[in-house]
Amino acid sequence: MAGILDTIKLAGVLVLAIPAALAGLEFALVRGDPTTGVILLGLAAGLVVVERWITMPSDIPELVASRVVGSVVTDPESTDDESETETTDTANGR
């Protein structure tokens, strides 16, 4: 479920970042104003980076829940591997 929400958040940011990037390219390449173009391109890149890397207050409960669940729930595959090793060791007389 979190994957869907992350995708929707990214799409919302891209709605703002893509026009800024296109305007930056136009200023830099067509109109001959590289300063404004670079600023707009940096703004567009900054929007995407901030959305992907900064933890927002609304993300904190999700992070806490994933850490708690990860520490409480054990991996069933590792338990199966350990029991197979014990069975093999017992069969070999160890």
Side-chain angles (χ1 to χ4, degrees), residues 40-60:
L40 286 171
L41 287 170
L43 174 70
L47 284 170
V48 175
V49 167
V50 165
E51 191 276 329
R52 298 301 290 169
W53 292 75
I54 299 229
T55 302
M56 303 301 287
S58 61
D59 296 335
I60 292 175

mmCIF file with all atom_site columns, all heavy atoms in Angstrom, residues 40-60:
data_model
loop_
_atom_site.group_PDB
_atom_site.id
_atom_site.type_symbol
_atom_site.label_atom_id
_atom_site.label_alt_id
_atom_site.label_comp_id
_atom_site.label_asym_id
_atom_site.label_entity_id
_atom_site.label_seq_id
_atom_site.pdbx_PDB_ins_code
_atom_site.Cartn_x
_atom_site.Cartn_y
_atom_site.Cartn_z
_atom_site.occupancy
_atom_site.B_iso_or_equiv
_atom_site.pdbx_formal_charge
_atom_site.auth_seq_id
_atom_site.auth_comp_id
_atom_site.auth_asym_id
_atom_site.auth_atom_id
_atom_site.pdbx_PDB_model_num
ATOM 1   N N   . LEU A 1 40 ? 15.745 27.486 -12.548 1.00 0.00 ? 40 LEU A N   1
ATOM 2   C CA  . LEU A 1 40 ? 14.522 26.705 -12.698 1.00 0.00 ? 40 LEU A CA  1
ATOM 3   C C   . LEU A 1 40 ? 14.802 25.202 -12.755 1.00 0.00 ? 40 LEU A C   1
ATOM 4   O O   . LEU A 1 40 ? 14.054 24.399 -12.186 1.00 0.00 ? 40 LEU A O   1
ATOM 5   C CB  . LEU A 1 40 ? 13.757 27.154 -13.939 1.00 0.00 ? 40 LEU A CB  1
ATOM 6   C CG  . LEU A 1 40 ? 13.044 28.507 -13.808 1.00 0.00 ? 40 LEU A CG  1
ATOM 7   C CD1 . LEU A 1 40 ? 12.507 28.954 -15.163 1.00 0.00 ? 40 LEU A CD1 1
ATOM 8   C CD2 . LEU A 1 40 ? 11.924 28.421 -12.794 1.00 0.00 ? 40 LEU A CD2 1
ATOM 9   N N   . LEU A 1 41 ? 15.869 24.798 -13.420 1.00 0.00 ? 41 LEU A N   1
ATOM 10  C CA  . LEU A 1 41 ? 16.238 23.384 -13.441 1.00 0.00 ? 41 LEU A CA  1
ATOM 11  C C   . LEU A 1 41 ? 16.625 22.891 -12.042 1.00 0.00 ? 41 LEU A C   1
ATOM 12  O O   . LEU A 1 41 ? 16.267 21.781 -11.645 1.00 0.00 ? 41 LEU A O   1
ATOM 13  C CB  . LEU A 1 41 ? 17.382 23.146 -14.419 1.00 0.00 ? 41 LEU A CB  1
ATOM 14  C CG  . LEU A 1 41 ? 17.016 23.227 -15.897 1.00 0.00 ? 41 LEU A CG  1
ATOM 15  C CD1 . LEU A 1 41 ? 18.274 23.223 -16.757 1.00 0.00 ? 41 LEU A CD1 1
ATOM 16  C CD2 . LEU A 1 41 ? 16.094 22.087 -16.272 1.00 0.00 ? 41 LEU A CD2 1
ATOM 17  N N   . GLY A 1 42 ? 17.335 23.713 -11.305 1.00 0.00 ? 42 GLY A N   1
ATOM 18  C CA  . GLY A 1 42 ? 17.687 23.359 -9.925  1.00 0.00 ? 42 GLY A CA  1
ATOM 19  C C   . GLY A 1 42 ? 16.459 23.258 -9.035  1.00 0.00 ? 42 GLY A C   1
ATOM 20  O O   . GLY A 1 42 ? 16.364 22.369 -8.181  1.00 0.00 ? 42 GLY A O   1
ATOM 21  N N   . LEU A 1 43 ? 15.499 24.144 -9.237  1.00 0.00 ? 43 LEU A N   1
ATOM 22  C CA  . LEU A 1 43 ? 14.249 24.091 -8.483  1.00 0.00 ? 43 LEU A CA  1
ATOM 23  C C   . LEU A 1 43 ? 13.496 22.796 -8.781  1.00 0.00 ? 43 LEU A C   1
ATOM 24  O O   . LEU A 1 43 ? 13.002 22.129 -7.866  1.00 0.00 ? 43 LEU A O   1
ATOM 25  C CB  . LEU A 1 43 ? 13.372 25.295 -8.831  1.00 0.00 ? 43 LEU A CB  1
ATOM 26  C CG  . LEU A 1 43 ? 11.969 25.312 -8.228  1.00 0.00 ? 43 LEU A CG  1
ATOM 27  C CD1 . LEU A 1 43 ? 12.038 25.533 -6.733  1.00 0.00 ? 43 LEU A CD1 1
ATOM 28  C CD2 . LEU A 1 43 ? 11.133 26.378 -8.894  1.00 0.00 ? 43 LEU A CD2 1
ATOM 29  N N   . ALA A 1 44 ? 13.429 22.428 -10.045 1.00 0.00 ? 44 ALA A N   1
ATOM 30  C CA  . ALA A 1 44 ? 12.737 21.196 -10.428 1.00 0.00 ? 44 ALA A CA  1
ATOM 31  C C   . ALA A 1 44 ? 13.421 19.973 -9.819  1.00 0.00 ? 44 ALA A C   1
ATOM 32  O O   . ALA A 1 44 ? 12.756 19.085 -9.269  1.00 0.00 ? 44 ALA A O   1
ATOM 33  C CB  . ALA A 1 44 ? 12.682 21.075 -11.944 1.00 0.00 ? 44 ALA A CB  1
ATOM 34  N N   . ALA A 1 45 ? 14.728 19.920 -9.899  1.00 0.00 ? 45 ALA A N   1
ATOM 35  C CA  . ALA A 1 45 ? 15.459 18.794 -9.308  1.00 0.00 ? 45 ALA A CA  1
ATOM 36  C C   . ALA A 1 45 ? 15.315 18.789 -7.792  1.00 0.00 ? 45 ALA A C   1
ATOM 37  O O   . ALA A 1 45 ? 15.144 17.730 -7.177  1.00 0.00 ? 45 ALA A O   1
ATOM 38  C CB  . ALA A 1 45 ? 16.930 18.868 -9.708  1.00 0.00 ? 45 ALA A CB  1
ATOM 39  N N   . GLY A 1 46 ? 15.352 19.970 -7.192  1.00 0.00 ? 46 GLY A N   1
ATOM 40  C CA  . GLY A 1 46 ? 15.188 20.074 -5.743  1.00 0.00 ? 46 GLY A CA  1
ATOM 41  C C   . GLY A 1 46 ? 13.835 19.584 -5.265  1.00 0.00 ? 46 GLY A C   1
ATOM 42  O O   . GLY A 1 46 ? 13.730 18.952 -4.216  1.00 0.00 ? 46 GLY A O   1
ATOM 43  N N   . LEU A 1 47 ? 12.787 19.875 -6.016  1.00 0.00 ? 47 LEU A N   1
ATOM 44  C CA  . LEU A 1 47 ? 11.455 19.399 -5.646  1.00 0.00 ? 47 LEU A CA  1
ATOM 45  C C   . LEU A 1 47 ? 11.405 17.879 -5.582  1.00 0.00 ? 47 LEU A C   1
ATOM 46  O O   . LEU A 1 47 ? 10.857 17.295 -4.649  1.00 0.00 ? 47 LEU A O   1
ATOM 47  C CB  . LEU A 1 47 ? 10.412 19.901 -6.647  1.00 0.00 ? 47 LEU A CB  1
ATOM 48  C CG  . LEU A 1 47 ? 9.991  21.354 -6.530  1.00 0.00 ? 47 LEU A CG  1
ATOM 49  C CD1 . LEU A 1 47 ? 9.153  21.759 -7.740  1.00 0.00 ? 47 LEU A CD1 1
ATOM 50  C CD2 . LEU A 1 47 ? 9.201  21.572 -5.262  1.00 0.00 ? 47 LEU A CD2 1
ATOM 51  N N   . VAL A 1 48 ? 11.975 17.234 -6.572  1.00 0.00 ? 48 VAL A N   1
ATOM 52  C CA  . VAL A 1 48 ? 11.952 15.772 -6.608  1.00 0.00 ? 48 VAL A CA  1
ATOM 53  C C   . VAL A 1 48 ? 12.820 15.194 -5.494  1.00 0.00 ? 48 VAL A C   1
ATOM 54  O O   . VAL A 1 48 ? 12.423 14.248 -4.811  1.00 0.00 ? 48 VAL A O   1
ATOM 55  C CB  . VAL A 1 48 ? 12.409 15.257 -7.985  1.00 0.00 ? 48 VAL A CB  1
ATOM 56  C CG1 . VAL A 1 48 ? 12.507 13.747 -7.998  1.00 0.00 ? 48 VAL A CG1 1
ATOM 57  C CG2 . VAL A 1 48 ? 11.451 15.734 -9.063  1.00 0.00 ? 48 VAL A CG2 1
ATOM 58  N N   . VAL A 1 49 ? 13.992 15.769 -5.272  1.00 0.00 ? 49 VAL A N   1
ATOM 59  C CA  . VAL A 1 49 ? 14.891 15.271 -4.230  1.00 0.00 ? 49 VAL A CA  1
ATOM 60  C C   . VAL A 1 49 ? 14.259 15.428 -2.849  1.00 0.00 ? 49 VAL A C   1
ATOM 61  O O   . VAL A 1 49 ? 14.297 14.514 -2.025  1.00 0.00 ? 49 VAL A O   1
ATOM 62  C CB  . VAL A 1 49 ? 16.260 15.987 -4.301  1.00 0.00 ? 49 VAL A CB  1
ATOM 63  C CG1 . VAL A 1 49 ? 17.094 15.726 -3.069  1.00 0.00 ? 49 VAL A CG1 1
ATOM 64  C CG2 . VAL A 1 49 ? 17.001 15.567 -5.550  1.00 0.00 ? 49 VAL A CG2 1
ATOM 65  N N   . VAL A 1 50 ? 13.672 16.575 -2.595  1.00 0.00 ? 50 VAL A N   1
ATOM 66  C CA  . VAL A 1 50 ? 13.041 16.811 -1.292  1.00 0.00 ? 50 VAL A CA  1
ATOM 67  C C   . VAL A 1 50 ? 11.902 15.831 -1.064  1.00 0.00 ? 50 VAL A C   1
ATOM 68  O O   . VAL A 1 50 ? 11.743 15.280 0.019   1.00 0.00 ? 50 VAL A O   1
ATOM 69  C CB  . VAL A 1 50 ? 12.550 18.276 -1.179  1.00 0.00 ? 50 VAL A CB  1
ATOM 70  C CG1 . VAL A 1 50 ? 11.585 18.457 -0.032  1.00 0.00 ? 50 VAL A CG1 1
ATOM 71  C CG2 . VAL A 1 50 ? 13.731 19.206 -1.020  1.00 0.00 ? 50 VAL A CG2 1
ATOM 72  N N   . GLU A 1 51 ? 11.112 15.580 -2.084  1.00 0.00 ? 51 GLU A N   1
ATOM 73  C CA  . GLU A 1 51 ? 9.982  14.649 -1.932  1.00 0.00 ? 51 GLU A CA  1
ATOM 74  C C   . GLU A 1 51 ? 10.460 13.236 -1.661  1.00 0.00 ? 51 GLU A C   1
ATOM 75  O O   . GLU A 1 51 ? 9.845  12.507 -0.885  1.00 0.00 ? 51 GLU A O   1
ATOM 76  C CB  . GLU A 1 51 ? 9.122  14.675 -3.198  1.00 0.00 ? 51 GLU A CB  1
ATOM 77  C CG  . GLU A 1 51 ? 7.788  13.966 -3.063  1.00 0.00 ? 51 GLU A CG  1
ATOM 78  C CD  . GLU A 1 51 ? 7.872  12.486 -3.298  1.00 0.00 ? 51 GLU A CD  1
ATOM 79  O OE1 . GLU A 1 51 ? 8.726  12.040 -4.089  1.00 0.00 ? 51 GLU A OE1 1
ATOM 80  O OE2 . GLU A 1 51 ? 7.093  11.748 -2.670  1.00 0.00 ? 51 GLU A OE2 1
ATOM 81  N N   . ARG A 1 52 ? 11.566 12.829 -2.241  1.00 0.00 ? 52 ARG A N   1
ATOM 82  C CA  . ARG A 1 52 ? 12.031 11.454 -2.099  1.00 0.00 ? 52 ARG A CA  1
ATOM 83  C C   . ARG A 1 52 ? 12.868 11.222 -0.845  1.00 0.00 ? 52 ARG A C   1
ATOM 84  O O   . ARG A 1 52 ? 12.877 10.131 -0.314  1.00 0.00 ? 52 ARG A O   1
ATOM 85  C CB  . ARG A 1 52 ? 12.875 11.047 -3.320  1.00 0.00 ? 52 ARG A CB  1
ATOM 86  C CG  . ARG A 1 52 ? 12.129 11.063 -4.636  1.00 0.00 ? 52 ARG A CG  1
ATOM 87  C CD  . ARG A 1 52 ? 10.948 10.157 -4.659  1.00 0.00 ? 52 ARG A CD  1
ATOM 88  N NE  . ARG A 1 52 ? 11.373 8.767  -4.656  1.00 0.00 ? 52 ARG A NE  1
ATOM 89  C CZ  . ARG A 1 52 ? 10.562 7.757  -4.467  1.00 0.00 ? 52 ARG A CZ  1
ATOM 90  N NH1 . ARG A 1 52 ? 9.295  7.955  -4.252  1.00 0.00 ? 52 ARG A NH1 1
ATOM 91  N NH2 . ARG A 1 52 ? 11.017 6.544  -4.482  1.00 0.00 ? 52 ARG A NH2 1
ATOM 92  N N   . TRP A 1 53 ? 13.577 12.230 -0.349  1.00 0.00 ? 53 TRP A N   1
ATOM 93  C CA  . TRP A 1 53 ? 14.567 11.989 0.694   1.00 0.00 ? 53 TRP A CA  1
ATOM 94  C C   . TRP A 1 53 ? 14.237 12.573 2.051   1.00 0.00 ? 53 TRP A C   1
ATOM 95  O O   . TRP A 1 53 ? 14.773 12.119 3.044   1.00 0.00 ? 53 TRP A O   1
ATOM 96  C CB  . TRP A 1 53 ? 15.925 12.506 0.239   1.00 0.00 ? 53 TRP A CB  1
ATOM 97  C CG  . TRP A 1 53 ? 16.439 11.672 -0.892  1.00 0.00 ? 53 TRP A CG  1
ATOM 98  C CD1 . TRP A 1 53 ? 16.003 11.699 -2.186  1.00 0.00 ? 53 TRP A CD1 1
ATOM 99  C CD2 . TRP A 1 53 ? 17.422 10.658 -0.835  1.00 0.00 ? 53 TRP A CD2 1
ATOM 100 N NE1 . TRP A 1 53 ? 16.676 10.775 -2.938  1.00 0.00 ? 53 TRP A NE1 1
ATOM 101 C CE2 . TRP A 1 53 ? 17.562 10.120 -2.130  1.00 0.00 ? 53 TRP A CE2 1
ATOM 102 C CE3 . TRP A 1 53 ? 18.209 10.159 0.177   1.00 0.00 ? 53 TRP A CE3 1
ATOM 103 C CZ2 . TRP A 1 53 ? 18.448 9.104  -2.425  1.00 0.00 ? 53 TRP A CZ2 1
ATOM 104 C CZ3 . TRP A 1 53 ? 19.101 9.155  -0.133  1.00 0.00 ? 53 TRP A CZ3 1
ATOM 105 C CH2 . TRP A 1 53 ? 19.217 8.641  -1.406  1.00 0.00 ? 53 TRP A CH2 1
ATOM 106 N N   . ILE A 1 54 ? 13.394 13.589 2.105   1.00 0.00 ? 54 ILE A N   1
ATOM 107 C CA  . ILE A 1 54 ? 13.104 14.228 3.391   1.00 0.00 ? 54 ILE A CA  1
ATOM 108 C C   . ILE A 1 54 ? 11.920 13.528 4.035   1.00 0.00 ? 54 ILE A C   1
ATOM 109 O O   . ILE A 1 54 ? 10.916 13.270 3.389   1.00 0.00 ? 54 ILE A O   1
ATOM 110 C CB  . ILE A 1 54 ? 12.820 15.720 3.203   1.00 0.00 ? 54 ILE A CB  1
ATOM 111 C CG1 . ILE A 1 54 ? 14.043 16.366 2.619   1.00 0.00 ? 54 ILE A CG1 1
ATOM 112 C CG2 . ILE A 1 54 ? 12.333 16.337 4.474   1.00 0.00 ? 54 ILE A CG2 1
ATOM 113 C CD1 . ILE A 1 54 ? 14.531 17.597 3.252   1.00 0.00 ? 54 ILE A CD1 1
ATOM 114 N N   . THR A 1 55 ? 12.058 13.235 5.322   1.00 0.00 ? 55 THR A N   1
ATOM 115 C CA  . THR A 1 55 ? 10.973 12.609 6.066   1.00 0.00 ? 55 THR A CA  1
ATOM 116 C C   . THR A 1 55 ? 10.011 13.691 6.538   1.00 0.00 ? 55 THR A C   1
ATOM 117 O O   . THR A 1 55 ? 10.407 14.623 7.234   1.00 0.00 ? 55 THR A O   1
ATOM 118 C CB  . THR A 1 55 ? 11.535 11.850 7.282   1.00 0.00 ? 55 THR A CB  1
ATOM 119 O OG1 . THR A 1 55 ? 12.470 10.895 6.820   1.00 0.00 ? 55 THR A OG1 1
ATOM 120 C CG2 . THR A 1 55 ? 10.433 11.170 8.050   1.00 0.00 ? 55 THR A CG2 1
ATOM 121 N N   . MET A 1 56 ? 8.774  13.547 6.160   1.00 0.00 ? 56 MET A N   1
ATOM 122 C CA  . MET A 1 56 ? 7.746  14.499 6.558   1.00 0.00 ? 56 MET A CA  1
ATOM 123 C C   . MET A 1 56 ? 7.111  14.021 7.872   1.00 0.00 ? 56 MET A C   1
ATOM 124 O O   . MET A 1 56 ? 7.155  12.832 8.187   1.00 0.00 ? 56 MET A O   1
ATOM 125 C CB  . MET A 1 56 ? 6.665  14.602 5.472   1.00 0.00 ? 56 MET A CB  1
ATOM 126 C CG  . MET A 1 56 ? 7.216  14.998 4.116   1.00 0.00 ? 56 MET A CG  1
ATOM 127 S SD  . MET A 1 56 ? 8.060  16.573 4.118   1.00 0.00 ? 56 MET A SD  1
ATOM 128 C CE  . MET A 1 56 ? 6.700  17.675 4.247   1.00 0.00 ? 56 MET A CE  1
ATOM 129 N N   . PRO A 1 57 ? 6.509  14.920 8.631   1.00 0.00 ? 57 PRO A N   1
ATOM 130 C CA  . PRO A 1 57 ? 5.866  14.496 9.878   1.00 0.00 ? 57 PRO A CA  1
ATOM 131 C C   . PRO A 1 57 ? 4.786  13.436 9.662   1.00 0.00 ? 57 PRO A C   1
ATOM 132 O O   . PRO A 1 57 ? 4.575  12.583 10.520  1.00 0.00 ? 57 PRO A O   1
ATOM 133 C CB  . PRO A 1 57 ? 5.248  15.790 10.415  1.00 0.00 ? 57 PRO A CB  1
ATOM 134 C CG  . PRO A 1 57 ? 6.088  16.872 9.841   1.00 0.00 ? 57 PRO A CG  1
ATOM 135 C CD  . PRO A 1 57 ? 6.514  16.375 8.490   1.00 0.00 ? 57 PRO A CD  1
ATOM 136 N N   . SER A 1 58 ? 4.147  13.442 8.524   1.00 0.00 ? 58 SER A N   1
ATOM 137 C CA  . SER A 1 58 ? 3.121  12.432 8.262   1.00 0.00 ? 58 SER A CA  1
ATOM 138 C C   . SER A 1 58 ? 3.728  11.055 7.986   1.00 0.00 ? 58 SER A C   1
ATOM 139 O O   . SER A 1 58 ? 3.035  10.042 8.066   1.00 0.00 ? 58 SER A O   1
ATOM 140 C CB  . SER A 1 58 ? 2.253  12.860 7.076   1.00 0.00 ? 58 SER A CB  1
ATOM 141 O OG  . SER A 1 58 ? 3.040  12.987 5.917   1.00 0.00 ? 58 SER A OG  1
ATOM 142 N N   . ASP A 1 59 ? 5.031  10.982 7.681   1.00 0.00 ? 59 ASP A N   1
ATOM 143 C CA  . ASP A 1 59 ? 5.697  9.712  7.401   1.00 0.00 ? 59 ASP A CA  1
ATOM 144 C C   . ASP A 1 59 ? 6.203  9.016  8.659   1.00 0.00 ? 59 ASP A C   1
ATOM 145 O O   . ASP A 1 59 ? 6.526  7.837  8.623   1.00 0.00 ? 59 ASP A O   1
ATOM 146 C CB  . ASP A 1 59 ? 6.882  9.926  6.457   1.00 0.00 ? 59 ASP A CB  1
ATOM 147 C CG  . ASP A 1 59 ? 6.458  10.437 5.100   1.00 0.00 ? 59 ASP A CG  1
ATOM 148 O OD1 . ASP A 1 59 ? 5.302  10.193 4.721   1.00 0.00 ? 59 ASP A OD1 1
ATOM 149 O OD2 . ASP A 1 59 ? 7.288  11.076 4.425   1.00 0.00 ? 59 ASP A OD2 1
ATOM 150 N N   . ILE A 1 60 ? 6.288  9.720  9.764   1.00 0.00 ? 60 ILE A N   1
ATOM 151 C CA  . ILE A 1 60 ? 6.889  9.170  10.977  1.00 0.00 ? 60 ILE A CA  1
ATOM 152 C C   . ILE A 1 60 ? 6.114  7.963  11.515  1.00 0.00 ? 60 ILE A C   1
ATOM 153 O O   . ILE A 1 60 ? 6.724  6.946  11.840  1.00 0.00 ? 60 ILE A O   1
ATOM 154 C CB  . ILE A 1 60 ? 7.066  10.275 12.040  1.00 0.00 ? 60 ILE A CB  1
ATOM 155 C CG1 . ILE A 1 60 ? 8.130  11.253 11.540  1.00 0.00 ? 60 ILE A CG1 1
ATOM 156 C CG2 . ILE A 1 60 ? 7.450  9.687  13.391  1.00 0.00 ? 60 ILE A CG2 1
ATOM 157 C CD1 . ILE A 1 60 ? 8.327  12.451 12.398  1.00 0.00 ? 60 ILE A CD1 1
#
